[in-house]
């Protein structure tokens, strides 16, 4: 039984496990430094900055999509999909599609002008998944970051 639902605070330990699984897949295992307390406060504190949907399969979270709101001076509020992950064991069973389809519904209900995200250029399974949607792949912009 698959249930796509909004994440709740008690899901956070499992979400962090899946975030680590994603980092491992992206060959960045040592890059996850967020603590459970910070993660909880950021999603379920007084002023949440992220929201998530989870794919609950028989009572166990096997996938998630975490997003926040970004603002485009040209387009207005947009959903930014930070992470979409389905566990290795559950890939190919439609969970990713269910999550992304529900994100699209949520973005439209909230009046966002669209959804943006990034995908690594070597992640062919993800790229092929996103090609099933009317996705625009932009090779014009360069990602920039300042870390503290």
């Amino acid at each position: 039984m698959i249930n796509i639902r909004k994440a709740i605070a008690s899901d956070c330990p499992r979400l962090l496990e899946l975030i680590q699984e994603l980092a491992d897949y992206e060959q960045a295992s040592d890059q996850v430094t967020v603590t459970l307390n910070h993660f909880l406060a950021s999603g379920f504190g007084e002023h949440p900055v992220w929201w998530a949907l989870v794919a609950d399969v028989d009572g166990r979270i096997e996938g998630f999509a975490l997003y926040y709101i970004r603002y485009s001076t040209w387009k207005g509020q947009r959903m930014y999909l930070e992470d979409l992950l389905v566990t290795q064991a559950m890939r190919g069973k439609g969970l990713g599609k269910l999550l992304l389809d529900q994100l699209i519904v949520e973005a439209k209900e909230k009046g966002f002008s669209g959804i943006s995200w990034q995908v690594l250029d070597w992640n062919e399974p993800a790229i092929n998944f996103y090609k099933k949607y009317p996705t625009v792949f932009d090779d014009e912009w360069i990602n920039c970051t300042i870390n503290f």
Side-chain angles (χ1 to χ4, degrees), residues 113-124:
S113 64
I115 303 173
S116 301
W117 67 91
Q118 297 170 305
V119 61
L120 291 166
D121 62 359
W122 57 260
N123 192 346
E124 300 233 359

Side-chain angles (χ1 to χ4, degrees), residues 8-9 11 26 36 39-40 43 46 51 60 69-70 76 80 83 90 92 101 105 126 133-135 141:
I8 58 176
D11 294 331
E26 292 182 353
L36 178 57
F39 190 67
L40 269 164
E46 189 174 330
W51 298 266
R60 181 169 170 82
I69 301 167
R70 80 178 270 261
Y80 187 86
D83 287 326
M90 294 301 293
D101 288 350
V105 168
Y133 291 84
T135 303
W141 292 88

Side-chain angles (χ1 to χ4, degrees), residues 8 19 29-31 52 67 74 82 91-92 109-110 113 138 140:
I8 58 176
I19 289 166
S29 298
D30 61 337
Q31 298 298 308
Y67 73 90
W74 292 6
E82 178 65 21
R91 289 186 189 144
E109 285 176 352
K110 292 182 183 247
S113 64
D138 186 346
E140 219 176 355

Side-chain angles (χ1 to χ4, degrees), residues 124-141:
E124 300 233 359
I127 291 168
N128 290 333
F129 169 74
Y130 293 133
K131 283 181 177 178
K132 295 175 185 174
Y133 291 84
T135 303
V136 176
F137 291 87
D138 186 346
D139 58 1
E140 219 176 355
W141 292 88

Side-chain angles (χ1 to χ4, degrees), residues 22-120:
L22 178 61
D24 295 345
Y25 177 76
E26 292 182 353
Q27 302 167 10
S29 298
D30 61 337
Q31 298 298 308
V32 179
T33 59
V34 67
T35 65
L36 178 57
N37 286 340
H38 181 78
F39 190 67
L40 269 164
S42 297
F44 297 95
E46 189 174 330
H47 301 286
V49 296
W50 65 261
W51 298 266
L53 298 175
V54 297
D56 185 314
V57 180
D58 297 324
R60 181 169 170 82
I61 296 172
E62 296 290 350
F64 76 98
L66 187 144
Y67 73 90
Y68 55 88
I69 301 167
R70 80 178 270 261
Y71 189 80
S72 165
T73 55
W74 292 6
K75 304 288 184 187
Q77 289 186 4
R78 299 178 68 78
M79 178 182 281
Y80 187 86
L81 176 58
E82 178 65 21
D83 287 326
L84 173 64
L85 173 83
V86 173
T87 61
Q88 180 69 34
M90 294 301 293
R91 289 186 189 144
K93 300 185 186 319
L95 273 67
K97 180 178 181 349
L98 291 170
L99 285 165
L100 191 53
D101 288 350
Q102 188 57 43
L103 277 179
I104 291 168
V105 168
E106 192 161 320
K108 288 179 178 179
E109 285 176 352
K110 292 182 183 247
F112 297 151
S113 64
I115 303 173
S116 301
W117 67 91
Q118 297 170 305
V119 61
L120 291 166

